[in-house]
Amino acid sequence: MLEDKELLKTESLSQFYQYLDKNAIRLKLNYALVSSIAHYKEKTEISHEKEQLVWEMEFFLFEIRGNILFPLSNSYDVNKEETSQFPDKMEVKRKMGYLKKRAETSKSNLLKAKYHHLLWMAAETKNKKHAMVAIHNYDELIADYFRFGNNTNSYVGSEIQECFELITGLSGQINHFEQVKRLKNELLFNTGAFDAHEKIGIIETMLAFPKVFKAKDFENIPELLHELLESSNHAIDDFHLVENHIPIALKVVAKKGLSPKKWHLMAGHAYVRLAEHDTREAKSFMNLDNLAHAIHSFGLAGALEEKKRAEQSYFELKPKVKLDTFVHPLSEESIKILKETNEELKVRARELLKRTPDQIYKYLSLPFFFPKYKDAKKQAEKTPSEPFLQFAKQVRFDTNKNIMFDERGTDEYVAVLREFGYRMEETMLPFLHHTFFFGIRSGRLTYLNFLEYFLEHTWIGKPHLKFDLGGNPIETNWANLLAPAVLDFFNQILAWGTSTHYVPNFVLCLDSLTLKLEGLFRNFCERLNVPTSEGKEKGMQEVLLHRIFDNKVIKEYFDQEDLLLFDYAFSDSPGLNLRNNIAHSFYNEKDYTSKKMLLLIAVLLRLGKYNISQK
């Protein structure tokens, strides 16, 4: 946490509570609320105050989603395995007296709303008063957020949407609808500060709570959606239109019993534009899929001429579709599961993007979506090897057709790494794709806030001092070296989403970031006083990157899952061997994909989460 002079001046628990009341919104937006409580807990020497502050931290180490406590931290269970749950469940009942006192004495709408919401959830016999007070405080908190945002030029849209969702959930639980419906009208029709994405988010919340919002509550919303999606003042790309916004509009008109034809027509035109966006052969199968959706949409809209034109385009494109990969047919059940998983990942990505950029990057550095070593190992043990391979000699080639001798160790580890790669392809990389593509195109994620995160919150942004042969000091900051790759990647995604003529090229950013990551790993070892060179016939030489991961000190320092991730990215088959393939120019232009860049971003975020000084 950055130095807070006001916090440092607090000398008593009552002064600290006053500090929390005054700064709660600022601390929450900077995700420093818990760390400020931890700071004063370490400062006080009074045992019962320490205990109370531990409780206070527990109240804010999770978010409320409906009736579920969503953990925001990770710890280690009795088996020393990383988990997103606390080692012991929080016993809210034991702390009810303290919680009630804080709810009565706090002056902050943010804190009071959380306290009363917890009291409502924790009691065996529900007290409607706590739910009503929580709703009132969340309502007042929305006004506080607007004021704070105007005064500090801060983005508070996701926090306001979160408050609306919590009010809606509580209103449904106690059958009190007047306040939330008034608030809905204010946010949608009387608040100019909300942009199209945020207003559509409010409408999406309304759809998620049919008990609260009936058909009559969607009056004028179809017209609002049409204005939001068609107005030139709102820059919404076709991808967002067909994947998120138009499906929401279709649900709204279905509730109102209105004709969906104009929305299907809008979707058809958007799908055609997507198909015409990138006409490279490698994209032909995606374009064919977009045209198929366009034909279906035009049919539902009754637009026969548009449907015929789309069918002609589909007919002309179909012979050109070629796939370079071997296709293994999946069962209908497997396809259904994969589609459901992808939709779930989209939902989670959109949910994550409601938070601040720093919170998004911090979350992506945590282990929630990364495959676990134990799961990959368990699945690898279940997967039988091909019987005929047991009686045949296996010869492995690299990308440049060089025969490779296995330096990877046991067949068991190779199987685990292969399974890890499958899981990255199925879940983590699609999740990163949805998060960064939605985030960059919407302006939520930028190269500046990405670099600022590393400058302010990781060791990567800390200057490192070295001395040359002449004894002159040389200060290096890795953020400056990472900047060109980051800037180019974000610009490629932006241009890809905004221009119908631009063909993205990830050669520059992928080349740069791959080699800079090698330097980061070597610098990481240097800061830990771990050598990265060894004596050879021609003198001292730097060891290969994947050999760094075999160092005993490094193995003890990094998490097992992180070592697996780093191995997958930089070691040879079944790893991707990115550093070797790029450094030796084994890749052609088709091998430079956004997926590989997202993998490197995952490596960068996971590497940045370590605090060298505290290990």
Side-chain angles (χ1 to χ4, degrees):
M1 190 178 83
L2 299 177
E3 183 177 294
D4 190 322
K5 294 181 180 179
E6 187 177 356
L7 174 60
L8 296 176
K9 291 180 181 179
T10 56
E11 297 296 336
S12 67
L13 187 59
S14 62
Q15 287 183 357
F16 176 69
Y17 286 150
Q18 292 174 8
Y19 164 83
L20 275 187
D21 285 341
K22 178 182 176 182
N23 297 282
I25 289 180
R26 175 178 65 82
L27 293 171
K28 183 178 186 297
L29 291 175
N30 294 325
Y31 59 91
L33 192 58
V34 173
S35 59
S36 66
I37 300 170
H39 173 88
Y40 190 76
K41 180 183 77 71
E42 295 302 317
K43 183 175 182 178
T44 184
E45 297 181 355
I46 303 174
S47 59
H48 74 270
E49 288 187 356
K50 285 182 176 292
E51 182 181 36
Q52 291 174 351
L53 290 168
V54 169
W55 297 346
E56 192 82 32
M57 285 191 293
E58 289 179 348
F59 298 153
F60 291 94
L61 280 173
F62 53 83
E63 290 184 343
I64 300 172
R65 290 283 182 259
N67 285 320
I68 300 174
L69 301 181
F70 183 79
L72 297 176
S73 65
N74 60 288
S75 58
Y76 292 88
D77 59 21
V78 293
N79 297 318
K80 296 184 178 181
E81 294 176 344
E82 202 168 32
T83 175
S84 60
Q85 302 291 334
F86 301 113
D88 297 306
K89 292 184 177 180
M90 187 183 71
E91 300 174 4
V92 177
K93 295 179 184 178
R94 186 170 61 88
K95 304 148 190 174
M96 289 285 279
Y98 172 78
L99 190 58
K100 289 178 180 178
K101 181 179 178 181
R102 290 290 290 132
E104 293 170 358
T105 59
S106 175
K107 306 298 182 184
S108 163
N109 286 314
L110 188 155
L111 301 180
K112 288 174 72 70
K114 188 66 170 280
Y115 298 144
H116 281 286
H117 203 155
L118 281 175
L119 288 167
W120 163 255
M121 293 181 67
E124 290 184 359
T125 303
K126 299 293 185 182
N127 186 340
K128 189 176 179 180
K129 169 191 170 184
H130 291 304
M132 291 292 294
V133 174
I135 289 173
H136 171 75
N137 287 128
Y138 281 130
D139 196 350
E140 293 294 315
L141 178 57
I142 288 176
D144 292 344
Y145 275 131
F146 274 121
R147 282 191 291 270
F148 185 89
N150 291 332
N151 294 336
T152 63
N153 197 29
S154 302
Y155 176 78
V156 294
S158 62
E159 279 68 28
I160 292 172
Q161 291 181 66
E162 179 185 10
C163 287
F164 180 78
E165 181 181 342
L166 293 169
I167 290 173
T168 304
L170 281 169
S171 299
Q173 292 170 36
I174 64 174
N175 296 318
H176 176 77
F177 307 133
E178 180 180 352
Q179 194 165 357
V180 71
K181 292 183 179 182
R182 172 193 57 78
L183 180 60
K184 173 265 294 185
N185 288 327
E186 289 182 3
L187 293 177
L188 291 180
F189 301 105
N190 301 326
T191 304
F194 254 19
D195 65 17
H197 290 284
E198 292 159 347
K199 289 187 176 183
I200 292 172
I202 295 296
I203 297 170
E204 189 173 17
T205 297
M206 293 173 61
L207 290 167
F209 291 88
K211 179 183 177 181
V212 179
F213 294 104
K214 307 300 182 182
K216 64 180 181 180
D217 298 310
F218 288 82
E219 196 70 31
N220 299 321
I221 288 182
E223 293 78 10
L224 173 65
L225 280 168
H226 196 267
E227 189 276 330
L228 292 174
L229 299 183
E230 285 207 335
S231 172
S232 59
N233 296 326
H234 304 293
I236 299 178
D237 61 272
D238 292 321
F239 186 76
H240 277 90
L241 272 178
V242 299
E243 292 292 328
N244 185 43
H245 300 332
I246 290 178
I248 289 173
L250 288 170
K251 292 178 182 177
V252 171
V253 296
K255 266 188 171 293
K256 295 293 295 177
L258 301 175
S259 171
K261 286 188 176 182
K262 70 177 181 181
W263 299 104
H264 288 304
L265 182 62
M266 185 185 295
H269 287 303
Y271 278 120
V272 169
R273 290 192 296 269
L274 284 171
E276 295 172 346
H277 170 68
D278 187 347
T279 58
R280 289 179 302 164
E281 185 177 282
K283 296 282 185 177
S284 59
F285 72 98
M286 297 176 62
N287 294 335
L288 200 69
D289 181 66
N290 285 324
L291 287 173
H293 280 88
I295 293 168
H296 179 68
S297 296
F298 287 138
L300 293 174
L304 300 182
E305 289 301 317
E306 289 86 347
K307 182 172 179 284
K308 287 181 181 179
R309 286 196 292 269
E311 287 171 340
Q312 181 64 32
S313 297
Y314 184 95
F315 173 77
E316 294 173 359
L317 178 61
K318 187 166 62 171
K320 302 176 184 178
V321 173
K322 296 179 181 179
L323 298 177
D324 297 329
T325 56
F326 173 77
V327 179
H328 178 73
L330 296 175
S331 66
E332 291 185 4
E333 181 64 24
S334 297
I335 294 173
K336 179 182 178 182
I337 292 173
L338 287 174
K339 287 183 176 180
E340 290 173 350
T341 300
N342 191 51
E343 290 302 317
E344 180 183 350
L345 293 174
K346 288 181 183 179
V347 171
R348 294 192 180 189
R350 292 192 184 103
E351 186 69 25
L352 179 60
L353 286 170
K354 293 179 181 179
R355 310 206 59 77
T356 65
D358 277 354
Q359 290 172 327
I360 293 169
Y361 300 135
K362 178 67 175 177
Y363 186 85
L364 292 176
S365 72
L366 297 176
F368 300 118
F369 279 97
F370 284 87
K372 299 290 187 291
Y373 180 91
K374 65 173 185 178
D375 295 334
K377 184 175 184 294
K378 184 177 181 180
Q379 185 59 41
E381 291 172 347
K382 290 182 179 179
T383 304
S385 58
E386 294 292 339
F388 76 92
L389 292 179
Q390 299 177 8
F391 305 96
K393 178 182 178 181
Q394 298 184 45
V395 180
R396 297 169 54 228
F397 296 86
D398 67 10
T399 304
N400 206 40
K401 299 183 180 178
N402 294 311
I403 294 177
M404 301 172 61
F405 298 105
D406 196 353
E407 298 179 5
R408 311 302 311 284
T410 65
D411 290 338
E412 176 185 346
Y413 182 77
V414 172
V416 170
L417 189 58
R418 183 179 292 109
E419 183 61 33
F420 178 86
Y422 294 153
R423 290 169 180 256
M424 286 291 295
E425 291 278 343
E426 291 173 358
T427 56
M428 190 62 212
L429 290 178
F431 178 70
L432 288 173
H433 170 89
H434 297 315
T435 302
F436 276 92
F437 277 59
F438 289 160
I440 293 173
R441 290 179 178 181
S442 66
R444 193 81 176 110
L445 304 180
T446 67
Y447 79 93
L448 282 177
N449 59 43
F450 185 81
L451 291 173
E452 286 170 356
Y453 170 79
F454 286 95
L455 281 169
E456 297 176 6
H457 303 292
T458 74
W459 68 269
I460 293 172
K462 297 177 182 178
H464 183 61
L465 191 64
K466 300 173 69 173
F467 294 89
D468 63 15
L469 288 175
N472 302 308
I474 302 174
E475 185 178 273
T476 301
N477 192 314
W478 279 101
N480 295 328
L481 297 173
L482 295 171
V486 173
L487 174 60
D488 185 65
F489 175 69
F490 277 68
N491 284 340
Q492 294 295 332
I493 300 304
L494 279 174
W496 195 4
T498 56
S499 171
T500 58
H501 304 290
Y502 188 77
V503 178
N505 188 308
F506 299 102
V507 174
L508 175 62
C509 56
L510 195 56
D511 277 355
S512 178
L513 187 55
T514 299
L515 299 182
K516 295 303 178 291
L517 274 168
E518 178 180 10
L520 274 170
F521 279 109
R522 295 188 188 279
N523 185 237
F524 189 91
C525 293
E526 184 178 346
R527 298 186 191 211
L528 291 177
N529 200 31
V530 174
T532 60
S533 56
E534 61 184 1
K536 293 188 176 181
E537 185 178 345
K538 295 183 178 180
M540 296 297 294
Q541 295 181 7
E542 291 292 316
V543 299
L544 297 175
L545 180 57
H546 72 267
R547 291 279 302 281
I548 291 177
F549 307 142
D550 293 332
N551 184 283
K552 183 179 179 181
V553 176
I554 296 300
K555 281 188 173 182
E556 292 177 353
Y557 201 95
F558 285 133
D559 297 340
Q560 194 173 35
E561 279 75 20
D562 286 338
L563 281 172
L564 204 57
L565 173 65
F566 303 157
D567 233 358
Y568 175 68
F570 297 110
S571 296
D572 53 48
S573 181
L576 299 182
N577 210 8
L578 287 174
R579 187 270 176 196
N580 183 70
N581 291 330
I582 285 175
H584 294 90
S585 297
F586 292 159
Y587 279 165
N588 60 48
E589 64 272 19
K590 293 181 180 179
D591 292 318
Y592 284 87
T593 63
S594 60
K595 187 183 295 185
K596 290 187 176 73
M597 189 65 188
L598 290 169
L599 175 63
L600 292 183
I601 286 176
V603 171
L604 184 62
L605 287 166
R606 292 291 278 180
L607 181 60
K609 76 183 178 72
Y610 290 92
N611 190 330
I612 297 176
S613 62
Q614 294 183 1
K615 190 72 176 182

